[in-house]
Amino acid sequence: MEIRKFLLGCAGLLVSLLAMAQYTVTGTVLDSATREPLPGASVYCQNTTLGTVTNRQGVFSLELKSGGYELILSYTGYQTRTIRLAGEPAAPLEILMTKEDKSLGEVVIRSSSEVADGWEKYGHFFVGHFIGTTPNAAACVIENPAALHFYLLKKSNKLRVLATEPLQISNYALGYRLQYQLDSFIYYYKTDISLYRGHCLYTEMDSTADLKRRWAAARRQAYLGSRLHFLRAYYDSTLQDEGFEVDLLDEKDPMKFTRVDNPYDSAYYAFTDSTREAELYFPRKFSVTFLRDKPDPVYVKEFNLPRNVGTQISYIELRYAVEIQENGYFYDQQDWINQGYWSWKNLADQLPYDYQPDY
């Protein structure tokens, strides 16, 4: 009898812990002018598989695991709204949506700088910088390329890409379908740097049990050493255990990096108990080395590196401090600039924030 009570108590504790590890977000989506509900509005968390639509009364509800998210709300003919979440709101959300100015969109699309046959001329180039050139990228397909418009801005020597509807991308390497709302993509020819901004909802593909096992293995491989893996390890104080080392650019020698013996030194890292956020900042460029795996041979060949390179190395510049949440989400994301291995790993190798490795 005592054993049974003990087991029941453990079960109750487990349920309590699981309940603490998730929260619910509810709200109503309304027209900002009429305050009429908007049924069928899309509501999802950026870069996750978590999404829903509003009911006839414009109401939605989402169950989220602990961590941070960007809640994206979109409705045809209305401006997209973004709301940052860091835990369960104190009250149901009321989201007011504003109608888009259609004339402004028409002016953008009819711009004289648009390349008439843009997909034929720049499609391959765009895919390489947006989806990537990795083996996983080779298994990705943009299902609606006609939605893309290409603008060559000669004075500023850059290529800009816009989309008239969310991009539908099939990632057959990792088993995801992506609905990517591309706000803009810009490639700077002078610096060979590309920047893109948008919102993405993941949906898991369905298939045979054997293919699902292969997708699970591919996802584990994509996760190991990734930025998502690194940020979660930083948050959990397990950088060394997970195989990461951090080096900081020398203040006087621009070619020398020095090991950061304590990445949790208050000069670089601070944790706030009340918000459950970890602030990360390095005053100069820093490098992240992942010791538990070699770089992909395709990367080594593409960048003419020695064949005996034994670790994955990425370089990061932080414009300002970033705030990290438990699930690896961080903000503001435009303040983080990748170089090296992580910059090679574009959309085709990214995983949603609600991904958890099964090991």
Side-chain angles (χ1 to χ4, degrees):
M1 182 63 71
E2 292 300 318
I3 294 177
R4 183 182 178 186
K5 288 182 179 179
F6 174 78
L7 292 175
L8 287 173
C10 290
L13 178 60
L14 179 60
V15 170
S16 298
L17 290 173
L18 290 174
M20 291 173 61
Q22 62 184 18
Y23 58 94
T24 303
V25 177
T26 60
T28 306
V29 181
L30 306 170
D31 181 289
S32 61
T34 66
R35 297 191 64 83
E36 290 292 322
L38 298 179
S42 177
V43 183
Y44 63 92
C45 290
Q46 149 74 347
N47 207 48
T48 72
T49 63
L50 308 170
T52 187
V53 295
T54 57
N55 63 15
R56 292 181 180 180
Q57 290 74 42
V59 175
F60 70 88
S61 178
L62 271 178
E63 296 287 338
L64 305 179
K65 295 179 181 179
S66 58
Y69 301 90
E70 284 184 5
L71 189 68
I72 310 299
L73 302 104
S74 62
Y75 193 76
T76 303
Y78 288 75
Q79 297 175 13
T80 299
R81 287 286 310 275
T82 302
I83 298 174
R84 184 177 296 145
L85 299 173
E88 185 168 1
L93 301 173
E94 182 180 86
I95 298 98
L96 301 178
M97 304 287 284
T98 305
K99 287 188 176 180
E100 288 182 328
D101 183 352
K102 293 183 179 180
S103 61
L104 180 61
E106 291 174 356
V107 170
V108 171
I109 297 302
R110 294 176 183 174
S111 171
S112 60
S113 61
E114 182 176 1
V115 180
D117 51 351
W119 178 253
E120 287 72 20
K121 285 187 176 180
Y122 296 105
H124 181 73
F125 180 85
F126 167 74
V127 168
H129 286 81
F130 176 58
I131 292 180
T133 58
T134 67
N136 286 344
C140 290
V141 178
I142 298 178
E143 307 289 358
N144 57 337
L148 292 165
H149 293 259
F150 297 79
Y151 304 87
L152 187 60
L153 307 176
K154 295 182 180 179
K155 287 186 178 180
S156 53
N157 198 22
K158 62 186 179 184
L159 176 70
R160 187 181 185 193
V161 184
L162 301 176
T164 53
E165 63 184 41
L167 297 178
Q168 306 298 327
I169 303 169
S170 298
N171 187 335
Y172 294 103
L174 300 182
Y176 290 114
R177 296 195 190 280
L178 287 64
Q179 179 178 295
Y180 198 101
Q181 186 174 324
L182 181 68
D183 291 339
S184 70
F185 168 95
I186 299 177
Y187 176 80
Y188 298 89
Y189 285 96
K190 288 183 179 179
T191 58
D192 189 30
I193 291 177
S194 59
L195 301 174
Y196 57 86
R197 184 177 66 250
H199 310 298
C200 184
L201 174 65
Y202 285 73
T203 304
E204 295 205 29
M205 291 181 177
D206 194 16
S207 187
T208 63
D210 180 62
L211 189 51
K212 286 182 178 180
R213 282 192 292 269
R214 281 190 277 169
W215 284 339
R219 291 172 188 177
R220 285 194 298 271
Q221 185 61 37
Y223 178 75
L224 289 174
S226 67
R227 184 175 70 179
L228 181 62
H229 185 192
F230 170 74
L231 289 173
R232 287 179 177 177
Y234 221 133
Y235 185 95
D236 292 339
S237 300
T238 58
L239 281 176
Q240 185 175 0
D241 293 340
E242 294 296 317
F244 290 103
E245 289 182 344
V246 178
D247 295 84
L248 182 62
L249 184 65
D250 190 277
E251 194 169 8
K252 297 181 180 180
D253 187 347
M255 302 299 293
K256 180 182 178 182
F257 283 82
T258 304
R259 179 65 36 78
V260 178
D261 293 324
N262 180 18
Y264 296 95
D265 188 289
S266 59
Y268 316 119
Y269 181 88
F271 187 84
T272 306
D273 289 325
S274 59
T275 62
R276 305 294 299 170
E277 292 182 342
E279 183 178 274
L280 179 66
Y281 180 70
F282 284 95
R284 298 178 299 282
K285 180 183 293 187
F286 67 101
S287 67
V288 175
T289 302
F290 185 59
L291 303 170
R292 288 168 49 185
D293 200 5
K294 297 179 180 179
D296 193 295
V298 176
Y299 174 80
V300 173
K301 182 178 180 181
E302 187 174 329
F303 290 91
N304 297 316
L305 299 176
R307 293 183 180 181
N308 61 349
V309 173
T311 57
Q312 302 172 7
I313 303 178
S314 303
Y315 301 91
I316 301 92
E317 290 187 68
L318 295 179
R319 293 173 176 171
Y320 302 99
V322 296
E323 306 294 331
I324 308 171
Q325 297 277 352
E326 180 180 350
N327 58 348
Y329 165 77
F330 71 97
Y331 65 91
D332 286 335
Q333 302 210 359
Q334 65 267 22
D335 293 329
W336 182 293
I337 301 174
N338 284 327
Q339 293 177 317
Y341 200 64
W342 285 345
S343 68
W344 183 64
K345 297 271 190 172
N346 282 307
L347 194 64
D349 293 85
Q350 293 177 11
L351 293 162
Y353 284 121
D354 53 321
Y355 169 78
Q356 290 294 335
D358 54 354
Y359 63 81

